[in-house]
DNA sequence: CCAAAAGTGTTCGCATTACACCCATGT
DNA sequence: ACATGGGTGTAATGCGAACACTTTTGG
């Protein structure tokens, strides 16, 4: 029998730490939505959102659809993670499945609008129970990819809203990397990258100097995708090279 | 109808440049084996080696098998590249296919032992014709991955034999990156990485000082795979961490 | 002796790091 | 006033790029 093809998605969002019952000094944390399985194998266990690939639907489309169905949201960033298809994957006794897994980042505003359906629950990424199949391993890999990519790319803003302060952006780095980041050096690096432009607006409210609000420069690709990058659209406003 | 699942492999080897009819000063070049298609779609065009995934066979196993069947060789390095499954992939009219693509590196000794079957031919990677399906794009992506990975990993030796001189290793970098590399700095960087150990042997023959032969230190992983790295085998000689 | 590549030493510039310091706001 | 984070300045460090230089072989 030919292996079944499925698409799953590891969905990350930054949410306030609800573990310590709203104590002071709570940093946000990485959360991800999981779905409870209603049949064997792994009946009753938590699993990544996903399902079979529909006809006339691309792999990334399937990931987006799954994401929308389980959370009601659209991601700020979506990337293929890996195709898992070993013959000895856990659960293969009930039918062999090849899973193409994507991972996604959800913005701050969207994150707390998420519809948590009956079978869906958000869990803290660093305190997951035993998941169905090899999904713990998959989440570990997605976390690793998120961390390495935050270090050398400009994707951290995908956890935030349209505008954000450099403190907020730095906090994303700190939470993802799990270590403090020097504010002064972080500011200079981000500014030097040119990936971010000041809006002129400021965010007040703290008992301190208001912080400049920035917006991500959409002219800059957050990640170097190489030849997988989509063909540049021939819009009249696009910057052409040697016309 | 459910999409078919196939596994293809982009196989790279370094071979002497045969284009300039054995002229002097010929640098080696990147070559890859392709298979001619014998039916529609793309009848008569060159395509990547591959085929359907067999039952009870892992994805990487299928890639290895394909590689063995088309070249008679086993790779020094094999890595999953990407899963291509857009609904509008070229050739989808004749049945939708989701391709999990791997890429591989072949050693120097093996490379010229390759059996070139009736339907197989090696072509220079930088002068490919129009291939079947979206295989040009796939090869471009594999080349990009090879280049970026050579820059930050220690995989270049996979194009060479058991032992090699630093000049040979440097030449791999130069061919792959397409630019000259400073011999002095290259030597120091490689030595500092500890990825390579001198054998005590030297290679003579040139009209110059003999070069030290090195061997790759198998205790060092060539690439940081993160959580995808295979579980360390509990061999008695393995280095355990705080038992 | 000479050509050619192996191998060593040294300097320069740049990016990252660490940390001291001033600025602006709410209480 | 002062606590708090926003924002700037600057010296120390490390690393890679560039390149001069010595060494050892084959012819």
């Amino acid at each position: 029998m030919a292996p079944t093809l499925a698409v799953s998605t590891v969905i990350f969002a930054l949410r306030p730490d609800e573990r310590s019952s709203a104590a002071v000094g709570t940093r946000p944390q990485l959360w991800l939505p999981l779905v409870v399985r209603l049949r064997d194998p792994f009946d009753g266990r938590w699993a990544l959102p996903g399902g079979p690939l529909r006809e006339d639907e691309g792999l990334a489309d399937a990931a987006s659809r799954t994401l929308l169905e389980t959370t009601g949201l659209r991601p700020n960033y979506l990337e293929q993670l890996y195709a898992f298809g070993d013959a000895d994957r856990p659960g293969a006794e009930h039918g062999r499945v090849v899973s193409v897994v994507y991972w996604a980042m959800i913005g701050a505003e969207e994150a707390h609008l998420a519809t948590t359906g009956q079978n869906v629950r958000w869990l803290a990424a660093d305190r997951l129970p035993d998941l169905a199949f090899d999904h713990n391993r998959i989440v570990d890999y997605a976390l690793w990819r998120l961390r390495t990519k935050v270090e050398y790319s400009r994707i951290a803003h995908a956890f935030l809203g349209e505008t954000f302060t450099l403190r907020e952006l730095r906090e994303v780095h700190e939470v993802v990397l799990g270590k403090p980041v020097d504010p002064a050096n972080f500011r200079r690096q981000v500014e030097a990258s040119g990936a971010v432009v000041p809006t002129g607006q400021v965010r007040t409210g703290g008992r301190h100097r208001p912080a400049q609000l920035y917006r991500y420069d959409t002219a800059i690709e957050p990640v170097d995708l190489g030849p997988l990058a989509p063909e540049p659209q021939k819009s009249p406003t696009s910057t052409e090279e040697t016309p």
Side-chain angles (χ1 to χ4, degrees), chain A:
Chain A
M1 204 181 85
T4 313
L5 186 61
V7 178
S8 300
T9 311
V10 184
I11 304 163
F12 291 120
L14 229 53
R15 308 183 127 201
D17 188 346
E18 294 159 359
R19 196 165 15 113
S20 44
S21 61
V24 287
T26 53
R27 299 218 140 211
Q29 230 188 327
L30 278 174
W31 292 76
L32 66 164
L34 295 170
V35 180
V36 71
R37 281 188 63 81
L38 299 175
R39 56 176 175 173
D40 275 328
F42 300 102
D43 189 11
R45 296 269 276 278
W46 295 104
L48 293 172
L53 181 67
R54 291 186 185 165
E55 202 171 340
D56 296 332
E57 176 187 54
L59 295 172
D61 299 330
S64 279
R65 174 176 56 78
T66 302
L67 205 160
L68 187 64
E69 287 170 359
T70 51
T71 65
L73 304 176
R74 296 180 191 284
N76 283 343
Y77 183 78
L78 180 69
E79 178 189 303
Q80 190 180 112
L81 180 68
Y82 201 74
F84 296 86
D86 280 355
D88 58 352
R89 284 183 81 197
E93 320 82 51
H94 293 250
R96 170 118 182 261
V97 176
V98 170
S99 291
V100 178
V101 180
Y102 280 73
W103 68 281
M105 296 168 77
I106 301 285
E109 282 127 15
E110 296 90 335
H112 70 282
L113 294 177
T115 61
T116 50
Q118 188 65 27
N119 306 322
V120 181
R121 195 187 298 172
W122 288 74
L123 296 176
D126 58 351
R127 289 167 196 270
L128 291 182
D130 274 359
L131 304 181
F133 304 103
D134 48 359
H135 287 189
N136 284 99
R137 199 167 114 95
I138 293 178
V139 172
D140 283 347
Y141 184 45
L143 273 168
W144 179 82
R145 185 91 138 242
L146 168 64
R147 292 197 183 102
T148 53
K149 211 127 199 174
V150 158
E151 279 187 322
Y152 72 83
S153 298
R154 312 288 168 186
I155 55 169
H157 71 277
F159 277 138
L160 302 173
E162 269 291 297
T163 63
F164 46 86
T165 67
L166 288 189
R167 169 172 184 70
E168 290 164 345
L169 189 62
R170 178 167 55 88
E171 192 161 51
V172 173
H173 277 79
E174 291 184 334
V175 169
V176 169
L177 301 181
K179 66 178 183 187
V181 174
D182 185 287
N185 298 328
F186 181 78
R187 163 179 302 274
R188 272 182 293 250
Q189 283 172 13
V190 171
E191 281 174 344
S193 79
V196 104
V197 287
T199 62
Q201 310 274 73
V202 291
R203 173 159 299 171
T204 56
R207 334 189 299 190
H208 52 76
R209 177 171 171 181
Q212 181 72 239
L213 278 172
Y214 290 81
R215 178 186 310 279
Y216 188 78
D217 184 355
T218 53
I220 293 185
E221 287 299 321
V223 183
D224 183 5
L225 291 173
L228 282 193
E231 294 292 323
Q233 303 301 322
K234 288 179 182 173
S235 71
T237 57
S238 71
T239 54
E240 300 287 345
E241 31 192 325
T242 61

